Amino acid sequence: MRGWLIVLLMVCMVSSLEAQQMEVNGFKRLRRPIWNRSKVAVDKQRAIIDLYTDEKGFTFTANGKEAAEATEGKGVITVKVPNKTRHITVKHPQYGTLTWRVPVKHLKRKKHYRATLLAQNPIKEYKPEQQWVVMDIEPKSAIVRMDSTVTLINEGQYAEMQSMGWHTYRVEAPFYEALTDSFLLTDTAKVNIKVKLQPAYSYVVVNTPWENGEIYIDGLFISKGEGTSRRLQEGQHRLSVFMYETCIYDQSFIIGRAEKQVITLTKNDFEPQPHKKEKMFSSLSTQSPIVAPWVASVQAPVTLKAPDCDIEIWVDREYVGTGQWSGMLAQGYHIVNTRKDSIESKSTELWIVDSTPQQLDLAVPQISMAMLNIHSNVTGAEIFINDVLVGSTPSIIPQLPADRLYTVSLRKEGYKSTKKSVRPRGNELTDLNIKMKQK
């Protein structure tokens, strides 16, 4: 008889231990703002509760008898329960069973709640499923292909959570050599990668002895007297110098890949040509592709339209016009932005495949946004930014206007409220670790 009592006592202890491996806290009802009623989802027949957890495999039963519908998301499980649910039974094959009595009279239909579901296995070692990879990239207008996903970056910064293991990335930008490499992501620390692409374009510097001499490369005006061309592809190009309407120099030159060439003309190079500027350029404009027959790359006519007539248009980080721009772009990737009063739009990726005309309506310049990664030694603490509840630890807060001062506060029952000030930078992930002390 005594042996049976000992066995029964051990079973009760094991059941109690399993229940203690799960805990629900941070319960709160989500309010529906008057100005945006659709911001908080509701169900006409059931109550909705979001349970924040990194674990999966839970099942839920309402009031001990009715199975509840559960939808797993990234870091959250959305559970729909019947009206007037008083307690929810949570089951997990590894963490056991927990019967959680809601801290209000009951959960009501048409209402949305949230809480944090903590699960802890004293035997299993905790290992995160994802880790941060942060890349500093030059040039800042590059495109990142992480595995098979293309991502545009802003101001040379890429920061994203990726799963553990090996990842392959490719960084490319117009007029630069693409870089392909791989890295191993582990749970020990985030990976920091610096990428500096090597230029794959050429340019020519032209010096003339004529102060008013107009310099043209492939029919495009560069400057007077002396100047530097725009980015040139390798191959043959044409240098012309005009004094008013008369061509005083007209010769072709060959430039190699990524070559920086200097052409210095002297007065001995003065060679008046019989053709005039207007006639010469009109003959060039009839050639295909436009500008000169020796340009080997495919080009396409492109029209870019800004949202307003006073908004600047930038192509591959070079200013091309205001309000609207039409011109030829070479085959390959191009990055298009708009700017106004030092505020820049998100980058638009433009890929020229063939000579098909392209037309784009560009985005409005927006205030630079930032992301704030808030974590603490306490899980499930409520996060307040400037006294507004935004989530619970750990959490990433996106879409914060950058370069502003924010006060971040953490609050949880049994701990002293703690606050810190932070000024996140635009288009970057700012890491903020706040430690809390017990009362």
Side-chain angles (χ1 to χ4, degrees):
M1 183 67 179
R2 184 178 179 183
W4 282 104
L5 289 175
I6 293 175
V7 171
L8 182 61
L9 182 61
M10 291 180 65
V11 170
C12 292
M13 290 177 63
V14 170
S15 299
S16 175
L17 179 61
E18 285 187 346
Q20 290 174 2
Q21 292 178 19
M22 291 189 291
E23 177 187 358
V24 179
N25 56 32
F27 176 83
K28 188 176 181 66
R29 177 186 160 191
L30 300 180
R31 304 288 180 177
R32 301 180 69 189
I34 297 177
W35 59 88
N36 188 1
R37 306 291 287 180
S38 62
K39 190 174 182 180
V40 177
V42 295
D43 189 292
K44 293 183 179 180
Q45 303 299 327
R46 294 171 290 181
I48 300 176
I49 181 167
D50 292 331
L51 295 174
Y52 291 90
T53 179
D54 290 330
E55 299 290 341
K56 296 182 179 181
F58 294 97
T59 58
F60 303 90
T61 305
N63 295 325
K65 57 182 180 180
E66 184 174 345
E69 176 187 341
T71 303
E72 292 184 347
K74 190 173 182 179
V76 64
I77 302 175
T78 300
V79 183
K80 294 183 178 181
V81 297
N83 184 37
K84 297 184 179 181
T85 295
R86 290 181 170 82
H87 58 84
I88 300 175
T89 302
V90 185
K91 290 186 178 182
H92 192 277
Q94 195 168 22
Y95 303 117
T97 303
L98 170 68
T99 299
W100 173 57
R101 184 173 182 83
V102 299
V104 293
K105 183 178 179 181
H106 51 247
L107 302 182
K108 300 179 181 179
R109 64 188 179 94
K110 297 185 180 180
K111 305 299 179 185
H112 199 138
Y113 308 87
R114 72 166 196 187
T116 301
L117 175 58
L118 301 177
Q120 181 181 5
N121 187 341
I123 302 175
K124 177 184 174 182
E125 180 185 358
Y126 172 73
K127 290 186 177 181
E129 295 181 356
Q130 292 185 315
Q131 183 60 273
W132 282 105
V133 54
V134 179
M135 303 177 73
D136 292 317
I137 302 171
E138 292 184 23
K140 296 181 179 180
S141 60
I143 298 171
V144 176
R145 291 179 179 267
M146 187 62 65
D147 297 327
S148 59
T149 303
V150 178
T151 304
L152 298 178
I153 64 173
N154 247 338
E155 296 303 320
Q157 290 289 325
Y158 170 90
E160 196 167 340
M161 293 279 282
Q162 296 288 347
S163 58
M164 300 300 177
W166 283 98
H167 295 271
T168 301
Y169 66 91
R170 179 180 174 86
V171 183
E172 52 191 338
F175 307 106
Y176 287 85
E177 296 281 2
L179 173 67
T180 302
D181 206 342
S182 60
F183 63 90
L184 177 62
L185 204 57
T186 66
D187 59 353
T188 55
K190 67 180 181 181
V191 171
N192 293 285
I193 302 174
K194 287 190 175 182
V195 176
K196 187 173 182 179
L197 299 183
Q198 297 301 313
Y201 60 88
S202 308
Y203 64 85
V204 61
V205 177
V206 180
N207 299 311
T208 78
W210 308 292
E211 184 177 347
N212 292 322
E214 298 178 357
I215 303 171
Y216 290 80
I217 302 291
D218 297 335
L220 296 177
F221 175 72
I222 303 301
S223 66
K224 288 186 177 182
E226 60 183 32
T228 303
S229 70
R230 293 188 177 184
R231 296 166 176 173
L232 302 176
Q233 296 191 6
E234 62 178 318
Q236 190 172 12
H237 298 269
R238 187 171 185 176
L239 169 61
S240 306
V241 182
F242 283 81
M243 188 71 74
Y244 305 107
E245 293 299 317
T246 301
C247 180
I248 60 176
Y249 182 87
D250 185 33
Q251 295 291 334
S252 62
F253 64 94
I254 297 176
I255 195 167
R257 185 174 181 82
E259 181 184 355
K260 284 70 178 172
Q261 191 174 135
V262 178
I263 298 177
T264 301
L265 302 179
T266 66
K267 291 183 179 180
N268 294 331
D269 296 313
F270 181 75
E271 298 177 357
Q273 305 294 317
H275 43 259
K276 300 296 183 180
K277 183 193 301 183
E278 182 179 355
K279 183 178 180 181
M280 178 179 176
F281 287 168
S282 64
S283 64
L284 285 175
S285 64
T286 61
Q287 312 234 1
S288 179
I290 280 181
V291 175
W294 49 75
V295 178
S297 65
V298 174
Q299 294 184 331
V302 176
T303 300
L304 305 175
K305 187 176 181 180
D308 206 344
C309 60
D310 60 347
I311 293 179
E312 298 177 355
I313 300 174
W314 291 68
V315 178
D316 298 329
R317 297 296 174 181
E318 292 185 359
Y319 171 76
V320 296
T322 302
Q324 183 168 323
W325 175 83
S326 296
M328 304 295 292
L329 290 181
Q331 181 183 29
Y333 278 111
H334 298 272
I335 299 297
V336 183
N337 303 83
T338 58
R339 292 184 188 177
K340 184 177 180 181
D341 300 330
S342 301
I343 300 176
E344 183 175 308
S345 71
K346 291 184 178 179
S347 298
T348 300
E349 176 187 357
L350 178 61
W351 172 242
I352 302 297
V353 179
D354 50 31
S355 58
T356 304
Q358 302 268 6
Q359 183 170 343
L360 284 180
D361 291 326
L362 304 180
V364 178
Q366 297 177 345
I367 296 175
S368 182
M369 308 302 285
M371 291 189 296
L372 197 56
N373 182 22
I374 304 173
H375 52 97
S376 173
N377 59 322
V378 178
T379 303
E382 292 184 324
I383 302 173
F384 291 83
I385 296 182
N386 293 347
D387 295 324
V388 176
L389 180 63
V390 296
S392 58
T393 57
S395 186
I396 297 175
I397 312 301
Q399 296 299 312
L400 283 174
D403 300 318
R404 298 183 183 180
L405 188 64
Y406 296 93
T407 300
V408 181
S409 306
L410 297 187
R411 304 173 192 173
K412 186 174 183 180
E413 186 176 352
Y415 292 86
K416 296 180 180 179
S417 296
T418 309
K419 64 174 59 178
K420 274 189 178 183
S421 296
V422 63
R423 189 185 298 273
R425 296 181 59 187
N427 305 310
E428 291 187 9
L429 177 74
T430 302
D431 192 77
L432 184 63
N433 185 16
I434 304 177
K435 293 185 178 180
M436 302 185 70
K437 296 182 179 180
Q438 290 184 332
K439 291 183 178 179

